[in-house]
Amino acid sequence: MKSPPKDASTFQGRFALVVGGSGGIGRVISVELSRRGARLLVHGRHASERAQGMTLGVNETFDAAFASPGSFIRALDLRLDQIGAEPDIVICAFGPFLEKPLETCTVEEWEWLTLANLALPGALASRFLPGMIGRKYGRFLFFGGTRTDGIRAYRKTAVYASAKTGLGVLTKSIAAEGAPHDVAAVLVCPGPTETEYLDDETKIRHASLTSTGSLARPEHIARAGLDLIDADPCLASGAIVSLDGGFAP
């Protein structure tokens, strides 16, 4: 899949925050945003170190581990104060995964997965939506889990999927509130995708569940997701898009 020419992108000159932007799908998102002419604030636990190996323009990094939405937003605000800018584009590609039967999940796992996968994206939306509305432009891109485009039962990922499914409500709520102000939001739900966060055994097992016997490439997911919001007007706003190739285990 080829990306649009840099000068054809609506992201040219825009400032983008990529939470989880130094690894996995987020890493590819960061590189592609830079190629499309956006200025970046790339977040990751070791974003400064990892960004050195990425093909980026002149951009900023935000090194922070996630503990809670409140502490994360406070640290992010300090970094944005140093930069002296507010993001036009917010992409949350961060979200820890847990594969575990529901009856064995602990209270702590429920709390952690929900805070990281749902409360953090929600807090980012509440923090940056007012400024975007005031500037009459904004884009949010969130990443759900595989098959979390609707309400389903899950035998091994119920905690993770419960939080990720809630992102659909967040996305549609942003779209409804932002529509008069050129503020848009899209939720992408990838299928099993090959990233450095999966060990070899997990890659083989997840690939065996797909119809092709292979995992999706992160660059295909990243570019397709960005294409949905790289438009003005953004007609895809409010969409919950499955990029899973018809995955049906």
Side-chain angles (χ1 to χ4, degrees):
M1 179 186 298
K2 292 185 177 180
S3 302
K6 178 178 176 180
D7 57 4
S9 175
T10 64
F11 297 153
Q12 184 73 35
R14 300 287 187 181
F15 182 40
L17 164 65
V18 188
V19 178
S22 64
I25 294 174
R27 182 181 179 90
V28 184
I29 288 274
S30 297
V31 172
E32 181 63 16
L33 277 168
S34 181
R35 198 200 69 78
R36 298 190 189 196
R39 298 181 298 120
L40 298 183
L41 176 57
V42 178
H43 159 263
R45 181 175 294 184
H46 305 290
S48 298
E49 177 183 338
R50 301 198 70 181
Q52 294 178 4
M54 299 164 67
T55 306
L56 299 174
V58 179
N59 294 284
E60 305 283 351
T61 55
F62 170 47
D63 293 49
F66 176 78
S68 71
S71 62
F72 186 90
I73 294 293
R74 286 190 292 272
L76 176 57
D77 281 342
L78 291 175
R79 188 71 183 95
L80 290 172
D81 285 344
Q82 293 173 344
I83 297 170
E86 291 277 295
D88 305 301
I89 303 161
V90 173
I91 296 175
C92 190
F94 170 78
F97 176 72
L98 178 67
E99 190 170 11
K100 192 175 181 182
L102 179 61
E103 63 270 21
T104 65
C105 291
T106 66
V107 171
E108 290 76 18
E109 287 167 338
W110 268 103
E111 183 176 44
W112 170 249
L113 270 292
T114 305
L115 286 175
N117 287 295
L118 180 57
L120 175 59
L124 291 168
S126 293
R127 167 63 181 83
F128 295 114
L129 184 58
M132 292 177 177
I133 288 175
R135 295 189 300 273
K136 300 296 182 181
Y137 178 88
R139 297 290 182 270
F140 289 93
L141 178 60
F142 302 114
F143 285 89
T146 301
R147 303 182 76 231
T148 61
D149 56 321
I151 297 176
R152 292 186 172 88
Y154 300 86
R155 294 186 181 279
K156 295 183 179 180
T157 59
V159 178
Y160 171 81
S162 295
K164 286 294 192 181
T165 301
L167 290 175
V169 175
L170 175 64
T171 298
K172 290 187 176 295
S173 298
I174 294 171
E177 187 169 348
H181 311 285
D182 197 15
V183 176
V186 170
L187 172 62
V188 166
C189 299
T193 304
E194 183 173 357
T195 74
E196 69 272 26
Y197 300 125
L198 301 179
D199 58 38
D200 289 341
E201 180 182 349
T202 302
K203 288 180 182 179
I204 293 171
R205 182 163 51 84
H206 285 188
S208 70
L209 298 174
T210 70
S211 59
T212 62
S214 61
L215 300 175
R217 298 294 304 163
E219 56 267 28
H220 295 160
I221 302 297
R223 291 171 186 164
L226 285 176
D227 285 347
L228 289 169
I229 62 169
D230 191 0
D232 198 4
C234 182
L235 300 181
S237 187
I240 302 173
V241 181
S242 295
L243 297 180
D244 60 11
F247 182 70

